[in-house]
């Protein structure tokens, strides 16, 4: 099992990043690949989880160990797989997620793609009161990117929302509002899109 990869991020796509470790490119699925744009072509430490299935071995990556801890806790919930857990982590408000779980707010949880009432109640049942060891301070306050272009990143952010599991209808519903948003990067647009989808 891998704990982390230390290498250069050579590619950022709507679905994953590529981390080059001594000439080997590792495809790593992450909650919001565009958070890593500022780290592209720079050596970084990416915490990882390796998922092994009958016909697939995948790596899932995280900015820090607290994000990884929360991911692992979500995987312990019946009905939550790695992709669903990543979609939940893509929302910046992970402290809000923890608060929702601890206060039985299943309505908040059903706003995530693929999470219905039954799964939301299961998340609360399995995780309520069990997230105290996750450092919620490290989960918030992501760095803001300051890039010169704005609108060219809109398309990438919409693709990333689709990759997270939101339907075409859901993404289309917020796309007009995002067009009026003055973001500085794909990450900005993606964060704003997630806020709109969660509201």
């Amino acid at each position: 099992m891998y704990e982390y990869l230390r290498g250069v991020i050579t590619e950022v796509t709507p679905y994953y990043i590529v981390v080059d470790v001594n000439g080997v490119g590792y495809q790593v699925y992450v909650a919001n690949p565009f958070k890593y744009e500022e780290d592209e072509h720079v050596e970084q430490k990416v915490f990882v989880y390796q998922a092994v299935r009958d016909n697939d071995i995948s790596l899932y990556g995280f900015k820090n160990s607290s994000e990884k801890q929360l991911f692992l806790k979500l995987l312990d919930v019946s009905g939550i797989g790695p992709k669903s857990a990543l979609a939940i982590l893509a929302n910046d408000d992970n402290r809000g997620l923890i608060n929702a779980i601890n206060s039985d707010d299943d309505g908040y949880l059903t706003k995530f793609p693929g999470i219905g009432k039954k799964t939301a109640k299961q998340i609360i049942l399995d995780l309520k009161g069990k997230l105290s060891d996750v450092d919620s301070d490290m989960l918030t306050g992501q760095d803001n990117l300051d890039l010169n272009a704005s609108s060219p990143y809109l398309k990438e952010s919409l693709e990333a929302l689709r990759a997270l599991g939101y339907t075409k209808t859901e993404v289309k519903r917020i796309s007009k509002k995002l067009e009026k948003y003055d973001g500085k990067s794909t990450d900005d647009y993606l964060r704003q899109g997630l806020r709109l989808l969660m509201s």
Side-chain angles (χ1 to χ4, degrees):
M1 215 39 105
Y2 302 110
E3 179 64 22
Y4 62 82
L5 298 174
R6 186 182 293 281
V8 176
I9 296 171
T10 58
E11 191 175 349
V12 175
T13 78
Y15 298 91
Y16 59 83
I17 61 172
V18 176
V19 183
D20 184 313
V21 181
N22 297 322
V24 178
Y26 291 89
Q27 184 182 64
V28 182
Y29 295 95
V30 293
N32 176 355
F34 299 106
K35 280 183 188 174
Y36 294 83
E37 275 185 327
E38 65 182 353
D39 302 325
E40 206 169 354
H41 309 299
V42 177
E43 185 173 275
Q44 292 293 317
K45 182 178 184 179
V46 180
F47 287 85
V48 292
Y49 168 79
Q50 182 181 22
V52 180
R53 295 187 176 167
D54 292 340
N55 58 354
D56 181 51
I57 297 175
S58 299
L59 288 175
Y60 295 87
F62 316 95
K63 278 277 195 182
N64 54 52
S65 60
S66 292
E67 196 176 56
K68 180 178 177 179
Q69 283 176 11
L70 184 53
F71 175 85
L72 294 174
K73 297 274 188 185
L74 288 167
L75 284 188
D76 287 339
V77 177
S78 176
I80 298 286
K83 288 186 178 178
S84 295
L86 273 191
I88 291 170
L89 289 179
N91 179 31
D92 272 348
D93 188 18
N94 289 317
R95 186 179 289 171
L97 168 67
I98 293 171
N99 290 339
I101 291 168
N102 289 331
S103 62
D104 294 324
D105 186 359
D106 58 352
Y108 179 93
L109 299 174
T110 57
K111 293 178 180 178
F112 294 107
I115 306 297
K117 276 276 190 196
K118 184 178 177 183
T119 306
K121 289 186 182 298
Q122 190 67 49
I123 291 171
I124 291 168
L125 181 68
D126 290 354
L127 297 183
K128 185 176 180 180
K130 297 179 182 173
L131 298 173
S132 57
D133 57 334
V134 176
D135 184 356
S136 61
D137 288 336
M138 285 186 69
L139 293 168
T140 56
Q142 303 290 349
D143 295 334
N144 289 321
L145 303 182
D146 186 23
L147 302 177
N148 295 326
S150 57
S151 58
Y153 299 107
L154 176 60
K155 183 181 176 188
E156 287 180 335
S157 69
L158 296 176
E159 286 177 24
L161 289 170
R162 291 284 290 132
L164 287 169
Y166 288 99
T167 65
K168 275 186 180 176
T169 308
E170 289 171 321
V171 172
K172 190 175 180 181
R173 177 175 59 84
I174 63 154
S175 62
K176 293 290 183 196
K177 291 180 182 175
L178 280 180
E179 284 172 11
K180 297 174 184 173
Y181 178 68
D182 184 28
K184 305 296 182 198
S185 67
T186 304
D187 185 30
D188 283 349
Y189 279 105
L190 187 52
R191 290 183 195 201
Q192 181 65 11
L194 288 164
R195 285 188 199 102
L196 291 169
L197 286 162
M198 296 297 291
S199 62

